[in-house]
Amino acid sequence: MLRKPWFWAVFTLVSALSTVWAARHFAEAFPIVTLDVTMDRAAALEAAEGLAGDRGWGPDGARQAVQFSLDGEVQSFVELEAGGKPAYSEMLSGDLYSPYTWVVRHFSEGEVNETTIRFAPDGEPYGFREKMPEDEPGASLDAEAARALAEAAVSDGWDLDLGEYELVESSYEVRPGGRTDHTLVYERPDEPIGEGRYRLRLTVSGDRFTELTHFIKIPEAFSRRYEEMRSANNGIAAGAGFAMVILYLAGGCVFGLFYLMRKRWVIWKPAVKWAVFIASLQALMVINQWPLLWMGYDTAMSQTTFALQQIAAAIGQLVGMGAILALSFMAAESLGRRAFPHHVQLWRTWSGEVAPTRTLLGHTIAGYLLIGIFFAYEVWLYFFAGNTLGWWTPSGALTDPNVLANFFPWLTSIAISLQAGFWEECLFRAVPIAGAALLGRRFGKPWLWITAAMVVQAVIFGGGHANYPAQPAYARLVELIIPALGFGGLYLLFGLVPAIVLHFAFDVVWIALPLFTADTPGIWVDRSIVILLTLVPLWVVF
């Protein structure tokens, strides 16, 4: 049947219809695609430098770091208790609060004084905070004078109408240098968001306006409930991780390889080469994320020391991940070759004899055609689980907006997806299923062993991803059981190639999503590179 033209015509039609349906309803399930991002990393850095120069924000000779961040707590609160995903979509398109912001840090080694500047996704200045040394002397204004100074600064320098707000909190603190710092909190009385409130925080340090921050006052009861929920998520993921180490790494990889090496059935060189390649991409990601890393830099430390720490982390990533990947790849390919000799051998996939064949063309195209079907399942599940079962998964949990803040956003999208697609299919699918097939062949009833392995791998795979915020805590586990069974079925029938292609390309779509929703100068270059590299398996076959 798989060789019949009609099968591929129907398969292609189903994939196309699934893709169209998922695209039409995607924004309802995942509102991030409606976000209007027109500022890029370079524009954020330039705008922040201009504002700091115009308004005298310190320190002098500052270095810059940048990130594109999401206020995840606000998103969770709105989607869970303040109107759900429709309310969150409305927030993204409105102007009361921006959960996504460009954040630029101005800092200098050895300086306490630093400034954090925020911009909305469309590039509008959205707030700032200048941190002043506690022992720096300054004026000691009374509360009324400090309030007048702050409100005048907002009126003169920010596109904000304080007339829509009312003062709800006022406090002050006398610093060791004799300076008095005043903090004023304003609230929008006419725009409640569930039990939360839209607020502004203004700070005056001495006679200097040093902060304007938009935030949402979230009830403490929600924060406690959310932490309990996250503990349950992490507990499931920890249990799955323990099972993975014991069953897959220790049992499948270490014991399995020991047995196979005694039989001289292990082909190790290609596994090591692929492991080094993929691990090198992960190490390069550390360098690619250089603008983000400096957001966590402690200015009391020397910049050289911090930089060396990050480089050491990249080298550690290369060595540690490379070893785990090599072990996983050797075990997966060797076990699979013994258990399923009819499969295309993994290390010969792109050889001159195998790559230009109809079999590999079919495996590769099938992987791509399944992407639309898998996305249709995801969108449908979010509708069904949210509307019928009352489950919740945050709309932005599967994508990271910070990819836009990297030097080369396309590199992050490809590197993460390649590791996930290649490693997870080898470790979560090939090792347990091929191992079970060999054990079944040894002890009898092979299909019983394989069926048990299919179920176990689906549960462990879903549980391993359960640390995503979700409610109930097992929602992510249940969500991924069907895709995991689908990946397992692909491996059982055809080997690793279609499963790896599908997993890799599916993850690319998620991780690169911010690149395709942003409308920034030159973003088409990153989009083009992502598309070209995602289709590399097809280019090789052609």
Side-chain angles (χ1 to χ4, degrees):
M1 181 181 70
L2 299 181
R3 297 178 181 273
K4 302 295 184 180
W6 66 263
F7 169 81
W8 287 98
V10 172
F11 189 10
T12 303
L13 179 62
V14 171
S15 176
L17 293 175
S18 299
T19 302
V20 171
W21 185 88
R24 289 186 61 183
H25 297 280
F26 196 87
E28 301 170 45
F30 307 102
I32 187 177
V33 299
T34 65
L35 189 64
D36 183 22
V37 184
T38 55
M39 171 177 268
D40 60 9
R41 183 180 68 87
L45 292 171
E46 182 180 356
E49 186 175 16
L51 280 176
D54 293 341
R55 304 187 184 189
W57 297 331
D60 295 332
R63 179 169 180 168
Q64 290 181 300
V66 61
Q67 68 180 16
F68 186 56
S69 64
L70 165 65
D71 190 335
E73 185 180 17
V74 165
Q75 177 194 13
S76 300
F77 169 69
V78 174
E79 292 189 350
L80 277 170
E81 297 190 0
K85 290 187 177 180
Y88 184 63
S89 297
E90 185 177 345
M91 175 181 284
L92 290 181
S93 60
D95 56 5
L96 286 174
Y97 183 76
S98 178
Y100 291 89
T101 53
W102 282 101
V103 184
V104 180
R105 181 189 183 194
H106 283 190
F107 63 95
S108 185
E109 180 182 326
E111 292 281 350
V112 175
N113 177 221
E114 64 175 73
T115 303
T116 302
I117 307 162
R118 293 181 178 273
F119 299 91
D122 62 1
E124 286 296 316
Y126 196 64
F128 81 106
R129 178 176 180 267
E130 184 177 14
K131 181 180 178 182
M132 306 294 291
E134 292 192 353
D135 58 356
E136 182 171 322
S140 184
L141 303 180
D142 60 29
E144 287 301 319
R147 177 178 178 180
L149 188 154
E151 292 183 352
V154 170
S155 298
D156 292 340
W158 299 86
D159 184 18
L160 188 62
D161 183 8
L162 277 180
E164 298 177 332
Y165 293 80
E166 63 180 26
L167 182 67
V168 293
E169 294 179 16
S170 178
S171 62
Y172 71 92
E173 185 173 358
V174 179
R175 300 297 184 182
R179 184 186 78 238
T180 300
D181 292 355
H182 292 265
T183 301
L184 310 167
V185 177
Y186 295 75
E187 184 176 286
R188 283 289 296 264
D190 59 329
E191 293 286 354
I193 179 166
E195 295 183 3
R197 296 294 183 269
Y198 291 101
R199 288 189 167 184
L200 284 174
R201 182 169 53 248
L202 310 181
T203 299
V204 175
S205 302
D207 58 357
R208 185 177 177 86
F209 181 51
T210 55
E211 181 182 11
L212 185 158
T213 299
H214 295 259
F215 70 103
I216 290 179
K217 174 66 175 177
I218 295 175
E220 292 185 8
F222 169 80
S223 299
R224 288 193 297 269
R225 290 193 298 272
Y226 185 72
E227 286 303 316
E228 292 172 0
M229 181 189 73
R230 296 294 291 118
S231 297
N233 294 142
N234 293 330
I236 294 175
F242 179 77
M244 180 192 74
V245 171
I246 298 300
L247 295 177
Y248 298 170
L249 291 176
C253 294
V254 176
F255 179 77
L257 279 176
F258 176 74
Y259 173 77
L260 293 172
M261 289 178 73
R262 293 181 60 188
K263 299 289 186 178
R264 299 182 181 275
W265 289 340
V266 176
I267 300 176
W268 63 271
K269 287 185 179 180
V272 171
K273 290 178 181 178
W274 271 97
V276 170
F277 172 65
I278 295 176
S280 297
L281 288 180
Q282 307 309 303
L284 284 175
M285 272 205 325
V286 176
I287 308 303
N288 194 41
Q289 295 171 348
W290 205 251
L292 301 176
L293 299 178
W294 290 91
M295 295 298 294
Y297 165 64
D298 183 353
T299 56
M301 177 191 299
S302 76
Q303 294 185 20
T304 301
T305 300
F306 181 79
L308 290 175
Q309 287 180 346
Q310 308 313 309
I311 294 172
I315 296 173
Q317 176 92 346
L318 174 62
V319 175
M321 182 55 67
I324 293 175
L325 292 176
L327 192 67
S328 303
F329 296 167
M330 282 189 284
E333 193 277 338
S334 301
L335 290 170
R337 187 159 30 86
R338 299 302 303 177
F340 307 110
H342 62 284
H343 286 172
V344 175
Q345 293 183 19
L346 183 61
W347 307 131
R348 297 189 61 196
T349 297
W350 283 357
S351 66
E353 298 81 20
V354 178
T357 61
R358 286 189 174 185
T359 297
L360 197 62
L361 176 63
H363 289 180
T364 304
I365 291 179
Y368 289 116
L369 290 178
L370 284 168
I371 296 172
I373 297 173
F374 271 56
F375 264 99
Y377 162 78
E378 286 284 339
V379 174
W380 171 83
L381 181 69
Y382 274 60
F383 277 124
F384 174 75
N387 298 329
T388 305
L389 303 179
W391 290 7
W392 168 78
T393 300
S395 55
L398 304 178
T399 186
D400 182 5
N402 253 329
V403 68
L404 294 172
N406 294 339
F407 283 130
F408 302 106
W410 62 265
L411 174 60
T412 300
S413 306
I414 295 297
I416 294 177
S417 303
L418 184 61
Q419 179 193 349
F422 210 119
W423 182 50
E424 291 182 7
E425 290 311 306
C426 285
L427 187 65
F428 284 92
R429 247 67 68 181
V431 169
I433 295 174
L438 292 175
L439 289 171
R441 192 177 301 167
R442 173 69 174 81
F443 296 106
K445 299 183 178 180
W447 281 104
L448 182 61
W449 283 84
I450 291 174
T451 300
M454 287 282 286
V455 174
V456 169
Q457 66 86 18
V459 172
I460 292 179
F461 182 74
H465 293 78
N467 57 334
Y468 289 68
Q471 193 177 60
Y474 55 80
R476 183 75 172 145
L477 185 156
V478 174
E479 172 192 342
L480 289 178
I481 282 180
I482 291 180
L485 291 174
F487 284 124
L490 278 176
Y491 171 71
L492 194 60
L493 293 173
F494 308 112
L496 280 167
V497 173
I500 289 176
V501 170
L502 167 59
H503 198 147
F504 162 65
F506 183 80
D507 281 6
V508 167
V509 176
W510 278 119
I511 298 170
L513 192 61
L515 305 183
F516 291 86
T517 59
D519 185 19
T520 59
I523 197 69
W524 65 271
V525 175
D526 288 289
R527 293 174 182 171
S528 301
I529 295 176
V530 165
I531 293 172
L532 288 172
L533 293 181
T534 303
L535 295 176
V536 160
L538 199 58
W539 305 143
V540 173
V541 174
F542 285 161

